[in-house]
Amino acid sequence: MNKSLFDMTLEDVRARHAKLVKEIHKHDIAYHQNDAPAISDAAYDALRRELDKIEAEYPELISKDSPNAKVGAAPAKGFKKVRHSMPMLSLSNVFSEEDLSDFLEKVRKFLNFPGDVAMAVEPKIDGLSCTLRYERGVLVMAATRGDGFEGEDITANVQHITDIPKELPKGVPDILEVRGEIYMRRDEFMKLNERQEAAGKQIFANPRNAAAGSVRQLDSTITAQRPLHFFGYALGEASAPIATTQAGIRKILMSYGFAEPEPAGRCSTLEDIMAYYNKVMVLRPDLPYDIDGVVYKVDDLALQDRLGFVSRSPRWATAHKFPAERAVTILKDIDIQVGRTGTLTPVARLEPITVGGVVVSNATLHNEDEIERKDVRIGDHVTIQRAGDVIPQVVEVVLDRRTGNEKTFKFPLVCPECGSQAVRDINPRTGRDSVARRCTGGLICPAQLVERLKLFVSRRAFDIEGLGEERINTLCEMKIVSFPSDIFTLQERNEKGEINLQSLERWGDLSVQNLFSSIDARRNIPLERFIYSLGVPSIGEALGKILARHFVDYKDFFNFFEQGVLQIFELWRNNLLVNLIADESALTENIQEELYGIFSEKIAFEQYAKAKILYIKNVGLISASRLVTFTYDYMRSNKDVDPAAWFEAVENSKGLISKRAMAEILEAFGGMEEAMRKIADIAERCESLWSSLPHDIERRTGLVMKDSYYQNILSQGWTHLSAKIWEIKRKEHSAFKDVINLDGFGEIAFYAMVHFFMEDHNVQELKRLSLLVDIKSYERPQTVDSKVAGKTVVFTGTLVTMTRAEAKANAERLGAKVAGSVSKKTDYVVAGEDAGSKLKNARELGVSVLTEEEWKNLIG
C-alpha cells in the first residue's frame, strides 16, 4: 500500500484485509495444490507483506482464515492424506536492510540477549517443500507441506529421486524427519520442456512448477522419468537430538548423504548478513537452480526453542526475498469496483504487458487521493509493479511520454452499484478524512450484500454447502435473499409457493433438496463462529472467539452490546445532544469548530466552492457552514422571508459569523437580497445530501430531532463524535472496560461492534437469526496438566528471567487467558520489578499476586 494505514478508516482496512485474505488463499491453492501460480513470487510476497503490516497494526483482524494463521493450502485430492507429527510452517519475510534490522532486534528483545545472535544463512530454494520420515534408519513416508498440518503422501514418487537416501547410516535416532525442498535444475528443466513440446504435452512455466507437477503424479513411473533433486536442510520430529546448532544439523545431514544448498554460512552482525545477501544475489544467475532469496535462522537450537513460533512461522527464522519486477504500459481506462464493505476502489485497465513471465492487464490505483497524488490520467504511460496488491499496482506516471491527449479521471460521488452517496469517512484514530470513498447503501448495495452473504455461509462461519458464489449471486439478483436470515426460510417459502427454486437455471429437484438438507444441518452453530459470520468490521475469527470466551452465552453477548449501545446513546444525549439543542454556546470553541468542520467538509464543500462563498475574504469553511445552515433553517421556519429580517436574524445570532465576514459576503454578492438568495440556493442544493436523523436514534434515546442542522451533524459525524464522547465517559463503565481490555481485543474492535449494534436493521436481523438457528454456548477447551488453564493472568513490571512476550506466549500455551488490565475476574497478577498501578489495583481487589519465581513454580 502506498498510503499509511492511519489514512484509512477501520472499514477500509478491514475491506482491504478481507481482499488480501481471499486473494492469498486463491494463490495458495494455485501454488500448493495446482502447481500453477498466477503471480510471481515477488508479487505474492508483497501481498503477504501488506497483510503482515495490517495485522501488526490491527491484530484484531487475525483469524483462522488469515493466511498468517495457516500455511500453504489444503492437500489436493487424489493422494492419501498425512497428518504431520510437527507442523510444517512457512517463514516470515523481510525485504530490506531495515526490515532485517527489525527482525534481529525483535529476536534480541524476545530473548533479552545483550549482543548479536549468530545466524545460519543459506539460499532459499524455489521448489516444493517435502518431509521425509525415517524409522530406524529406513525411509517409511514422504509428504508435501499441504496446509502445514496435513499434506499428501508422495512416498512412492520420492523413491525415484536419487538425492533422497532410502536408508540412513547406523546410529541415527529411531525416528528422524528430514525436511527440505524438491527442485529441478534449470538446464534439466529446459530439456524437459523440449521433450514435452515435441510430444505435444504440457509446457511448464518454471522449474518449480515442473518439480511440483512431477511429484504429484498419481502414476509414479512418470515421476521416475523426471530429473528431480532434493535438498535436506531441516528437521521435523526427532526421537533424539543430532546437533546443538542449525549449522550442526546441516553438517550431520550431509554425512547422512543429503545435499545442501550453497553457498551457506554463519553470520552474526547485520553488516555480515547483508554482505552475504548481496553476494548470493550476484551469484543467483550462475546457480544451477532457482532461488528467490536467502534464509536466516538462529543458529543455536536452544535459543530457537525459547523463541518458539507465531501462528504460521517460527520467530527464529525469516526469508530475505529478492526485489519485485516492473514494466511500462498504457493506461486505457479506469473502472470502479465496490467491495464487501462498500469501499470504492479504482482499477486501471491496461494495455496487456508481460511482467516477470506473467501477462498483466489490470492494476490497482488504490484510492481517489492516490490518483490525484500521482496525477494519473487515462492514456498515460505508467510503470507497473507486480507487488503489493490483489492485482499489480501503478507505481508512477512516465511524464515524458505524455502527448497532451490524456484525460483526467473524475472520481464518482455515488456508488456505481446502487446509486447511493459515496462518502469519505473519518478515521477514528486520527480524526482525519479517510482516503477512500465508501458506499452508504449497506445491505441495499448489491456488491456489499453478495460479499457479506459469502462470508456468512463460508467454511469458517456457517459452512453451508451448496451456496457458492454463483448461487448467492442468483439468489440476490432474484431478490430471494436480502438478509442472512432469509437463507433459513428458503425451504418454508419454497413449499408455500412464495418462491420456486426449482425453476432457476441449474437448480433441479435433487439439487434444491440437497441445499435444504445442508441448511438444516447448519442450524446449530457455536457462538464464536456465529459472531464471525456477521461480518462486523475488524471482528475476525480470532476476535469472535475472544468475545465468545468472554460472554460464553449468546444472550449475554447480545444483551451486553444492545444495552451498551443504549447507554452510549444516553451519554450522547446528556453530553452532546442536549447541549447542542438547548444552548450551542455551552460547547467549547474547539468542539464547535469540529462540528462545523465535519459538516462543511463532508457535505457542502463542493457546493460552497461552486457558489464562490469560500473565496470571499475573511470567510472560511466554518463561517460559511454556520451561515448556510442558519439560513436553511431560518427559511424553513419563516414564510415570505424578507431579506432585511433575515439579515437582522443573522446579526442577532450570537457568534454565528463575524461582522467583517458578513460585510464581505454582502459586498461580494451585491447586496442583502442577492446574498440571501444565493446562500439559500446553496442550502437547497445541499438538502438532498442531508440525511434525516436515523430512526434508530429517536427510538433508542426518545429524543425527537426536527432540526436539519443537528440531524446532519449527527449523521455525518457519527463515528467521529461517538469516539470523542465515549472516550470521555467509558471509564465509568467497568463492564465496557473489561471487554475493551480483553487481550487481543481493544477499542477499535469494541467500537466496531458498538457501531454494528447502532444500526437498527442489524439488531433486528440478529433477533430473526436467533429464532431460526441454535447458537451454542462457548465450550472452554480443557488443557491437560496445566494449573493455569482457563485462568486470567496479568503481567506487570519488568520480568528478569524472561521477556514479557515469552511469558505471555508460555501462559497462552498452557491455556491461560492473558489480559491487559486488572479486574475482579483476574485470577493472578504476576508482578516483576517496578510494578505500578496494576499491582496496586490487584491488592485493592484482593487478586492473587505472584512473583516471577512463584509464577514459574506454578506452571512448572
Side-chain angles (χ1 to χ4, degrees):
M1 295 184 304
N2 291 337
K3 285 289 185 180
S4 167
L5 290 176
F6 290 102
D7 291 327
M8 301 175 69
T9 64
L10 175 61
E11 190 171 356
D12 293 335
V13 173
R14 186 175 187 275
R16 181 74 191 123
H17 180 270
K19 287 182 179 180
L20 286 170
V21 169
K22 180 180 178 181
E23 189 69 11
I24 290 170
H25 178 64
K26 180 182 74 175
H27 290 309
D28 281 344
I29 292 175
Y31 186 91
H32 293 284
Q33 286 189 4
N34 303 330
D35 306 316
I39 61 175
S40 70
D41 286 350
Y44 178 84
D45 290 338
L47 291 176
R48 295 303 294 255
R49 191 181 187 191
E50 183 179 352
L51 184 77
D52 291 343
K53 287 183 178 179
I54 290 177
E55 294 190 343
E57 185 66 34
Y58 296 87
E60 61 268 25
L61 296 183
I62 302 173
S63 70
K64 289 183 179 177
D65 264 349
S66 171
N68 281 335
K70 58 186 177 181
V71 181
K77 297 179 180 178
F79 286 90
K80 177 184 175 183
K81 306 302 184 291
V82 174
R83 190 75 179 175
H84 299 310
S85 58
M86 293 176 61
M88 290 186 70
L89 301 180
S90 62
L91 298 178
S92 62
N93 294 321
V94 297
F95 297 87
S96 65
E97 183 173 350
E98 182 181 2
D99 290 346
L100 174 59
S101 178
D102 289 343
F103 167 76
L104 296 175
E105 183 62 22
K106 287 178 182 178
V107 169
R108 284 193 291 267
K109 283 186 176 181
F110 191 97
L111 297 170
N112 196 21
F113 207 80
D116 294 321
V117 179
M119 310 294 292
V121 296
E122 62 191 16
K124 184 178 183 299
I125 311 305
D126 191 11
L128 177 71
S129 294
C130 174
T131 183
L132 309 172
R133 185 178 179 88
Y134 292 86
E135 295 182 0
R136 292 182 175 83
V138 177
L139 178 64
V140 296
M141 185 273 295
T144 63
R145 174 184 289 165
D147 63 4
F149 300 95
E150 187 177 68
E152 304 152 357
D153 187 339
I154 55 171
T155 308
N157 290 351
V158 302
Q159 298 283 351
H160 299 289
I161 301 176
T162 56
D163 284 356
I164 295 178
K166 309 309 180 288
E167 293 187 14
L168 301 181
K170 293 182 179 180
V172 301
D174 287 346
I175 296 175
L176 184 68
E177 286 189 359
V178 178
R179 292 178 172 177
E181 211 83 5
I182 297 174
Y183 69 99
M184 187 177 291
R185 294 167 58 102
R186 280 197 293 267
D187 58 343
E188 294 171 333
F189 162 73
M190 298 298 293
K191 292 178 181 178
L192 172 64
N193 262 354
E194 289 174 4
R195 294 196 299 272
Q196 292 287 105
E197 184 175 14
K201 296 180 180 180
Q202 174 190 2
I203 301 298
F204 295 102
N206 53 57
R208 191 269 170 197
N209 288 14
S214 300
V215 170
R216 287 199 176 99
Q217 294 292 327
L218 294 177
D219 182 355
S220 63
T221 61
I222 298 178
T223 306
Q225 300 169 17
R226 303 286 173 82
L228 299 175
H229 302 275
F230 180 77
F231 282 132
Y233 46 75
L235 298 183
E237 183 182 3
S239 57
I242 64 171
T244 60
T245 65
Q246 194 70 42
I249 289 176
R250 175 186 173 90
K251 184 176 181 180
I252 294 295
L253 289 179
M254 290 177 69
S255 72
Y256 290 168
F258 291 98
E260 295 289 336
E262 297 290 351
R266 187 174 183 272
C267 302
S268 294
T269 67
L270 175 64
E271 292 75 17
D272 288 345
I273 297 174
M274 283 303 303
Y276 169 80
Y277 172 80
N278 292 325
K279 172 186 175 182
V280 174
M281 189 158 54
V282 171
L283 290 174
R284 182 185 185 187
D286 299 320
L287 294 175
Y289 43 80
D290 279 352
I291 64 173
D292 55 1
V294 296
V295 176
Y296 313 131
K297 304 174 184 177
V298 171
D299 193 40
D300 190 318
L301 300 185
L303 294 183
Q304 286 188 14
D305 187 57
R306 282 183 59 191
L307 285 160
F309 302 85
V310 289
S311 57
R312 65 178 288 270
S313 59
R315 289 190 182 93
W316 44 265
T318 194
H320 194 166
K321 305 303 280 293
F322 293 136
E325 299 180 69
R326 294 185 174 187
V328 175
T329 187
I330 299 173
L331 191 153
K332 298 166 64 177
D333 203 353
I334 298 176
D335 291 340
I336 298 296
Q337 294 181 346
V338 184
R340 177 167 61 87
T341 57
T343 300
L344 275 61
T345 301
V347 177
R349 304 304 182 192
L350 307 169
E351 188 70 35
I353 189 170
T354 300
V355 186
V358 175
V359 177
V360 172
S361 57
N362 303 312
T364 183
L365 287 164
H366 296 291
N367 53 60
E368 184 176 3
D369 286 357
E370 192 74 357
I371 294 176
E372 183 177 349
R373 185 182 70 82
K374 293 178 178 176
D375 190 22
V376 177
R377 304 176 189 179
I378 296 172
D380 269 332
H381 285 75
V382 291
T383 300
I384 306 301
Q385 178 172 286
R386 293 185 58 239
D389 220 302
V390 173
I391 52 180
Q393 62 178 323
V394 174
V395 179
E396 60 187 1
V397 174
V398 185
L399 294 176
D400 59 5
R401 301 288 297 274
R402 276 197 172 154
T403 64
N405 296 322
E406 296 79 11
K407 296 180 181 179
T408 301
F409 177 74
K410 293 185 178 180
F411 207 93
L413 302 180
V414 296
C415 172
E417 294 285 346
C418 67
S420 299
Q421 291 296 318
V423 300
R424 294 175 65 152
D425 286 335
I426 293 177
N427 187 320
R429 287 174 171 242
T430 64
R432 300 198 303 268
D433 277 0
S434 164
V435 296
R437 286 194 180 270
R438 179 184 57 81
C439 168
T440 60
L443 287 176
I444 72 167
C445 180
Q448 296 181 66
L449 174 60
V450 169
E451 292 301 319
R452 291 187 188 203
L453 288 176
K454 283 162 61 177
L455 171 68
F456 185 81
V457 303
S458 66
R459 184 169 58 90
R460 298 294 186 182
F462 270 83
D463 191 20
I464 299 177
E465 295 183 11
L467 272 183
E469 182 174 356
E470 182 178 347
R471 283 192 165 181
I472 288 176
N473 283 329
T474 299
L475 293 173
C476 291
E477 289 172 3
M478 302 293 293
K479 308 297 182 185
I480 294 172
V481 171
S482 299
F483 293 93
S485 58
D486 292 340
I487 292 172
F488 295 98
T489 64
L490 284 174
Q491 184 171 2
E492 179 183 357
R493 287 184 285 151
N494 202 67
E495 291 173 351
K496 289 181 178 180
E498 298 174 7
I499 58 175
N500 184 2
L501 295 182
Q502 288 88 343
S503 66
L504 301 177
E505 186 177 354
R506 290 189 286 183
W507 288 58
D509 290 339
L510 180 59
S511 176
V512 170
Q513 287 303 316
N514 287 340
L515 176 60
F516 292 158
S517 298
S518 180
I519 292 172
D520 279 338
R522 293 295 182 265
R523 289 185 185 268
N524 298 294
I525 187 170
L527 175 58
E528 60 269 27
R529 290 176 60 174
F530 178 80
I531 294 173
Y532 168 67
S533 75
L534 301 177
V536 179
S538 85
I539 306 295
E541 191 173 5
L543 293 192
K545 182 172 287 187
I546 289 174
L547 286 175
R549 185 171 59 199
H550 180 76
F551 290 106
V552 180
D553 183 72
Y554 168 73
K555 290 182 180 179
D556 291 338
F557 160 76
F558 178 85
N559 291 336
F560 173 86
F561 280 104
E562 187 184 41
Q563 294 302 314
V565 167
L566 289 174
Q567 291 183 48
I568 289 173
F569 273 111
E570 187 67 22
L571 291 173
W572 274 23
R573 185 174 71 168
N574 293 339
N575 294 279
L576 178 64
L577 304 186
V578 169
N579 285 338
L580 283 173
I581 296 169
D583 183 8
E584 186 182 345
S585 64
L587 294 172
T588 67
E589 183 176 347
N590 287 340
I591 293 295
Q592 288 183 45
E593 290 189 2
E594 279 190 281
L595 298 176
Y596 286 116
I598 290 168
F599 168 76
S600 58
E601 292 176 20
K602 299 294 287 183
I603 296 297
F605 181 90
E606 291 183 2
Q607 298 298 334
Y608 293 172
K610 287 178 183 177
K612 298 185 176 3
I613 191 171
L614 293 181
Y615 304 111
I616 299 174
K617 186 179 179 181
N618 296 316
V619 180
L621 285 173
I622 294 174
S623 295
S625 176
R626 288 173 174 170
L627 184 59
V628 170
T629 52
F630 175 87
T631 302
Y632 178 79
D633 296 335
Y634 182 84
M635 297 187 74
R636 286 186 63 193
S637 58
N638 295 276
K639 295 182 178 179
D640 302 321
V641 179
D642 178 73
W646 165 76
F647 181 77
E648 183 180 359
V650 172
E651 289 277 283
N652 292 335
S653 296
K654 183 179 178 181
L656 178 67
I657 187 172
S658 71
K659 289 185 178 181
R660 179 180 297 180
M662 193 63 192
E664 296 285 353
I665 289 172
L666 295 179
E667 180 179 352
F669 285 155
M672 192 181 299
E673 181 174 352
E674 188 67 7
M676 186 191 75
R677 185 188 67 78
K678 287 187 176 180
I679 293 170
D681 180 61
I682 297 172
E684 288 175 1
R685 278 183 282 158
C686 290
E687 184 178 10
S688 63
L689 300 174
W690 292 351
S691 56
S692 61
L693 181 70
H695 169 71
D696 198 40
I697 294 182
E698 296 185 5
R699 179 180 69 81
R700 293 174 182 272
T701 65
L703 184 64
V704 178
M705 298 287 290
K706 297 180 179 178
D707 191 302
S708 64
Y709 164 56
Y710 298 118
Q711 292 174 9
N712 176 62
I713 286 176
L714 288 171
S715 61
Q716 296 302 316
W718 185 277
T719 301
H720 184 65
L721 294 179
S722 67
K724 289 286 185 182
I725 300 302
W726 178 238
E727 183 179 355
I728 298 170
K729 291 293 181 180
R730 65 179 173 78
K731 293 182 180 179
E732 299 177 8
H733 300 269
S734 60
F736 294 162
K737 186 177 179 181
D738 285 344
V739 175
I740 290 172
N741 288 325
L742 290 173
D743 189 60
F745 201 69
E747 291 194 10
I748 293 177
F750 183 82
Y751 287 139
M753 189 60 74
V754 166
H755 291 149
F756 177 81
F757 274 83
M758 281 181 174
E759 297 290 343
D760 189 54
H761 67 261
N762 290 333
V763 175
Q764 298 307 317
E765 176 64 4
L766 286 180
K767 290 179 178 178
R768 288 191 292 267
L769 281 169
S770 66
L771 297 175
L772 294 167
V773 300
D774 182 13
I775 305 169
K776 300 293 185 182
S777 296
Y778 178 76
E779 293 185 7
R780 300 187 183 278
Q782 298 296 319
T783 304
V784 180
D785 297 329
S786 173
K787 296 179 181 179
V788 296
K791 303 294 185 181
T792 299
V793 184
V794 174
F795 293 96
T796 183
T798 302
L799 302 181
V800 178
T801 62
M802 53 186 163
T803 62
R804 182 78 63 87
E806 189 172 359
K808 176 181 173 180
N810 284 335
E812 291 175 339
R813 179 174 55 83
L814 295 171
K817 179 172 67 175
V818 181
S821 63
V822 180
S823 70
K824 293 180 179 180
K825 296 180 180 180
T826 304
D827 295 293
Y828 299 109
V829 169
V830 181
E833 295 179 354
D834 301 321
S837 59
K838 293 178 182 178
L839 176 59
K840 180 181 177 182
N841 292 341
R843 288 170 175 165
E844 290 175 351
L845 294 172
V847 174
S848 178
V849 177
L850 303 177
T851 65
E852 185 176 348
E853 192 63 32
E854 288 171 336
W855 167 253
K856 292 176 70 175
N857 290 336
L858 176 64
I859 64 176

